Amino acid sequence: MKIKAVIIDDEANNIENLQIIITQYCPDVTIEATADNAADGIEIIKKHQPDLVFLDIQMPDQSGFDLLSHLPEIKFEVIFITAYDKYGIQAIKFSALDYLLKPININEFKIAVGKAEQRIREKQQNHNLENLLTYMKAGNRDPKIALPTLKETMYVKITDIVRCEATNNYTTFHLQSKEQVLVCKTLKDFADLLKPHDFVRTHQSHLVNLRFVKSYLKEDGGTLLLDNQEKIPISRQNREIIRMALSAAL
């Protein structure tokens, strides 16, 4: 099964470089067309009905996100390719989508394409893209985060997450409903992502949503008491950070 792909990037040398990489490392992927702006990108998507789109985030006039939002429906996989863009990458991570930073790392590229090929062959509907567009429309207000588990991908409101707890290379999300969601990613993967949403790292193994903190207890050198009566330890090096975060949240 050949996979039809298009490339949308505003820099000609990036398109050429990506074509070379795809030809060398992805024998099952054929490039049907390329475009250097969002408007032309929409046209080639409509014309060629690709299985896979390599999409630059930062383009003049309209971004890659704008392009996706103007399509009546999305029936293809997307691999985002971008120079560092903090907000764009944050939105992509919230939706558990793949992205590649320029210049492209070959190993990361092969992994991203391999995952996209598998989803295409299994004809999986890409709900993660839907979550991304919802995130962008909401303007970062009360977004949902995609949590990939072994059986499914759950979309959970940030405001419903009480805390996160590390267990080796896994993270357990403790929700307000008392449900627990185990995700095969480290706590570090989520700490920076959730920091703008009033989450603080209290300890190497704990990330807490400040909205659910009831009080700061002085016992054991410092402990957070949550609304559900759970007690979360605070490491010595994080005590001052926690105090400042709590003061700012008041």
Side-chain angles (χ1 to χ4, degrees):
M1 173 185 173
K2 286 290 184 180
I3 292 174
K4 298 189 300 180
V6 299
I7 302 172
I8 304 169
D9 193 305
D10 67 320
E11 297 184 27
N13 62 320
N14 288 336
I15 292 177
E16 183 179 356
N17 183 51
L18 192 53
Q19 286 176 310
I20 293 171
I21 293 173
I22 291 169
T23 300
Q24 186 170 357
Y25 295 102
C26 306
D28 292 334
V29 178
T30 58
I31 303 301
E32 299 289 323
T34 66
D36 61 7
N37 61 76
D40 289 345
I42 291 172
E43 291 305 312
I44 65 172
I45 288 172
K46 289 180 178 178
K47 179 180 179 180
H48 295 281
Q49 297 293 306
D51 304 303
L52 175 61
V53 174
F54 294 92
L55 181 61
D56 189 14
I57 295 177
Q58 298 167 312
M59 294 184 289
D61 300 326
Q62 296 186 80
S63 70
F65 297 144
D66 293 328
L67 180 155
L68 293 174
S69 68
H70 283 96
L71 292 170
E73 58 181 350
I74 299 174
K75 293 184 176 181
F76 50 81
E77 290 292 321
V78 177
I79 295 176
F80 293 98
I81 300 176
T82 183
Y84 185 71
D85 177 335
K86 185 175 181 181
Y87 180 59
I89 290 175
Q90 183 187 47
I92 291 168
K93 285 183 175 180
F94 255 91
S95 299
L97 290 161
D98 287 309
Y99 71 94
L100 299 169
L101 288 175
K102 301 173 183 178
I104 293 172
N105 177 288
I106 298 300
N107 287 333
E108 292 176 356
F109 173 83
K110 289 193 290 187
I111 291 171
V113 172
K115 288 162 65 178
E117 286 183 338
Q118 181 178 351
R119 289 191 294 268
I120 290 166
R121 296 185 198 286
E122 293 177 357
K123 298 182 179 179
Q124 298 177 11
Q125 187 173 352
N126 199 334
H127 295 293
N128 290 356
L129 272 174
E130 296 172 7
N131 191 67
L132 171 69
L133 295 178
T134 301
Y135 178 98
M136 300 303 296
K137 288 177 183 177
N140 205 18
R141 296 186 300 274
D142 197 19
K144 289 184 178 181
I145 185 170
L147 301 180
T149 71
L150 290 175
K151 294 183 178 180
E152 60 184 343
T153 298
M154 296 181 62
Y155 301 93
V156 176
K157 282 188 175 183
I158 299 300
T159 50
D160 289 339
I161 300 169
V162 177
R163 64 185 182 91
C164 309
E165 185 175 358
T167 308
N168 297 322
N169 290 325
Y170 292 83
T171 299
T172 300
F173 282 73
H174 296 260
L175 308 184
Q176 193 172 11
S177 64
K178 296 185 180 180
E179 184 178 4
Q180 296 182 11
V181 181
L182 184 65
V183 180
C184 186
K185 286 187 178 181
T186 66
L187 190 64
K188 185 178 184 299
D189 290 325
F190 296 104
D192 290 339
L193 192 60
L194 293 173
K195 185 177 180 180
H197 299 276
D198 295 327
F199 282 73
V200 292
R201 188 83 174 260
T202 66
H203 184 276
Q204 183 178 0
S205 300
H206 297 282
L207 183 68
V208 175
N209 187 343
L210 289 176
R211 299 179 188 185
F212 294 97
V213 174
K214 184 175 182 179
S215 60
Y216 183 106
L217 305 178
K218 295 180 180 179
E219 64 185 44
D220 300 326
T223 303
L224 289 183
L225 177 65
L226 305 186
D227 291 337
N228 61 9
Q229 301 306 308
E230 288 184 310
K231 293 182 179 180
I232 308 300
I234 302 172
S235 63
R236 179 178 298 177
Q237 62 266 34
N238 286 344
R239 288 174 193 167
E240 189 58 33
I241 295 173
I242 299 303
R243 290 193 187 100
M244 292 175 63
L246 287 170
S247 297
L250 294 176

